[in-house]
Amino acid sequence: MAAPTSRKFLGRLSLPERTFVTDALRTETVGGVILLMAAIVALILANTPLSGLYGDIKDFSFGPRALHLHLSVASWAAEGLLTIFFFVAGIELKRELVAGELRDPKAAALPVIAAVCGMAVPALVYVAVSASGGGSLEGWAVPTATDIAFALAVLAVLGTALPAALRAFLLTLAVVDDLGAILIIAIFFTQHINFIALGLSVAALVLVWLLHRKGVRTAWIHLPLAVVVWALMHASGVHATIAGVAMGLMLRCTVREGEERSPAERVEHRLRPVSAGVAVPLFALFAAGVPLSGGALADVFSRPETLGVVLGLVVGKAVGVFGGSWCAARFTKAELNEDLAWADVVAVAALAGIGFTVSLLIGELAFPADPTLAGEIKAAVLVGSLSAALFAGILLKLRNTTYQRLCQEEERDEDMDGIPDVYELDSPEYHLRMAAIHEAKAAEHRRLAEVAAANDSGDDGPA
């Protein structure tokens, strides 16, 4: 009886999964660069003579009071625009569960354990640091999130390429992180619930599900219905972004006969650029603008709550993700891809410490009665994310030559059929095409050699 083959950790992705990951991360990378620019603009506005105007714009309120929607610009960005981000996150989660890396429990065990440990350890680091200094424990969830867009923006700025397996691992970590953030926001930051409004929101969600089941996909029906679901969820006391997640989870991710793409894939293709390029950067523009004077930066490292956030992101994330990955691999007897090393997992784990968008949101929710501390927590998120980015950047640069070689091997397509050669090595047709290509090249070389020899012979002859 043959011995069971061990599972590969960070092994080669299937071709459809690799294509999806590449397309998704390409959009997130562009959005991440825009997000980075928005954060820089916010910091400039908050730390220059324009800070007064910036504050007035953030605090300007509008909307119908009767519907409890008279909100500030900053609140509209956090609860309105971020709903689009969480809607896309809901679609990603559904797709991962149905057709992605999370559909197989055995394959999902490693990234899920790594992600859960990557959320638990930062929270424990925060609690330990804050409790030892007599600080508040309310911000324990702030360092638990990973911002995939910001992480990819860092990779783009550094010019560092990651092999597809590492990129997929980072994306899966972010998806599970988003699920954790959704649960944290729904469970721990919902204080007063209006059950009537919540029940009506659930009823509207059921209607959304029924319409999708019946094949009704008209935007003029779904958009107003989505606004109703969102408004009722906001009125219920549950954070309004939960409505986006719930609607994303209801979309069908499987392809039926006669369809080129599933409804979820079509919607995600349209909304991902809006989420990555508009919604999240605008949220950052109004959330990341915190004063960063010398005293404020000193407070980040002297106040237990803010120090807990910084250490949670920089140390907790790296230790949690790497430790969870290593323990899960040992427990499941999975073998690391022979082209990679555990140092690569450490680098990705450090990169996961960039917790920008959701960390800023949770920072606002954790200290609603203390705006000063909430602002200091935001500064700590910025400092911690920047520190994690620098740490990860150093580790990734040390292995950049290896990554470039692996990426070139993954992208090589010598027969120019649009499919990377590594996915066709077992195909007889591929080897026949390559043999024909090599024969054509050899014939061309022989022809050029004969031409060169003839020219040399003519030059040596009599005038």
Side-chain angles (χ1 to χ4, degrees), residues 208-428:
V208 171
W209 180 75
L210 289 174
L211 289 173
H212 280 298
R213 289 273 295 180
K214 295 295 183 180
V216 178
R217 304 191 187 99
T218 306
W220 295 111
I221 295 177
H222 284 284
L223 283 177
L225 190 55
V227 172
V228 170
V229 172
W230 175 85
L232 288 170
M233 189 69 72
H234 179 272
S236 73
V238 177
H239 201 269
T241 53
I242 302 300
V245 177
M247 286 186 285
L249 289 172
M250 289 185 175
L251 294 181
R252 175 168 54 82
C253 293
T254 54
V255 178
R256 292 178 179 173
E257 186 177 353
E259 294 181 334
E260 293 184 2
R261 294 185 296 180
S262 67
E265 189 178 356
R266 286 197 299 270
V267 173
E268 183 183 15
H269 180 72
R270 294 173 182 173
L271 280 186
R272 185 183 286 276
V274 178
S275 170
V278 179
V280 174
L282 281 177
F283 166 75
L285 182 63
F286 295 111
V290 293
L292 292 178
S293 63
L297 289 176
D299 290 341
V300 167
F301 295 98
S302 60
R303 185 158 184 165
E305 295 93 343
T306 51
L307 182 60
V309 169
V310 173
L311 293 179
L313 289 171
V314 179
V315 179
K317 271 289 182 181
V319 172
V321 172
F322 174 76
S325 301
W326 188 83
C327 291
R330 289 293 300 270
F331 179 75
T332 59
K333 297 182 180 179
E335 292 183 359
L336 182 66
N337 183 350
E338 58 273 8
D339 292 326
L340 299 172
W342 282 107
D344 301 316
V345 182
V346 175
V348 173
L351 198 62
I354 302 175
F356 190 72
T357 304
V358 178
S359 291
L360 291 176
L361 175 62
I362 294 177
E364 291 182 351
L365 298 176
F367 302 101
D370 193 344
T372 301
L373 180 54
E376 293 174 346
I377 289 291
K378 288 183 179 181
V381 170
L382 295 175
V383 171
S385 297
L386 179 60
S387 301
L390 292 174
F391 178 42
I394 293 171
L395 296 176
L396 292 170
K397 277 297 183 183
L398 293 174
R399 294 273 292 169
N400 198 37
T401 302
T402 300
Y403 297 153
Q404 289 178 342
R405 175 181 59 80
L406 292 175
C407 287
Q408 288 173 357
E409 292 176 359
E410 290 177 356
E411 297 292 337
R412 185 178 294 117
D413 184 16
E414 291 190 30
D415 60 346
M416 301 179 68
D417 64 345
I419 301 175
D421 293 341
V422 292
Y423 291 96
E424 299 183 292
L425 296 178
D426 295 330
S427 168

Side-chain angles (χ1 to χ4, degrees), residues 22-238:
T22 301
D23 293 342
L25 295 187
R26 184 181 297 115
T27 303
E28 292 289 354
T29 301
V30 175
V33 174
I34 300 174
L35 171 63
L36 184 59
M37 295 170 60
I40 293 172
V41 170
L43 290 172
I44 292 173
L45 292 174
N47 292 276
T48 62
L50 295 172
S51 59
L53 176 62
Y54 175 68
D56 291 340
I57 294 175
K58 284 174 58 177
D59 297 334
F60 178 75
S61 298
F62 63 96
R65 293 183 184 275
L67 298 177
H68 305 284
L69 292 176
H70 190 74
L71 308 174
S72 67
V73 171
S75 295
W76 277 108
E79 301 195 40
L81 290 175
L82 272 196
T83 301
I84 301 174
F85 166 78
F86 278 102
F87 177 67
V88 174
I91 295 176
E92 289 177 342
L93 178 60
K94 178 72 173 288
R95 186 203 161 277
E96 287 290 323
L97 291 170
V98 172
E101 290 294 297
L102 302 181
R103 71 187 184 279
D104 180 3
K106 292 182 179 180
L110 275 160
V112 168
I113 291 173
V116 171
C117 292
M119 298 185 75
V121 175
L124 292 174
V125 169
Y126 175 91
V127 170
V129 173
S130 190
S132 63
S136 170
L137 302 183
E138 296 297 321
W140 63 270
V142 175
T144 60
T146 294
D147 194 311
I148 183 67
F150 217 133
L152 293 171
V154 169
L155 291 176
V157 171
L158 293 175
T160 300
L162 278 184
L166 287 175
R167 285 179 284 161
F169 181 58
L170 183 61
L171 179 61
T172 305
L173 285 177
V175 170
V176 179
D177 259 7
D178 288 340
L179 173 60
I182 292 161
L183 295 175
I184 287 171
I185 291 171
I187 295 172
F188 296 100
F189 295 106
T190 300
Q191 298 177 350
H192 305 289
I193 299 180
N194 182 330
F195 286 100
I196 295 177
L198 182 61
L200 291 173
S201 181
V202 172
L205 282 169
V206 172
L207 180 58
V208 171
W209 180 75
L210 289 174
L211 289 173
H212 280 298
R213 289 273 295 180
K214 295 295 183 180
V216 178
R217 304 191 187 99
T218 306
W220 295 111
I221 295 177
H222 284 284
L223 283 177
L225 190 55
V227 172
V228 170
V229 172
W230 175 85
L232 288 170
M233 189 69 72
H234 179 272
S236 73
V238 177

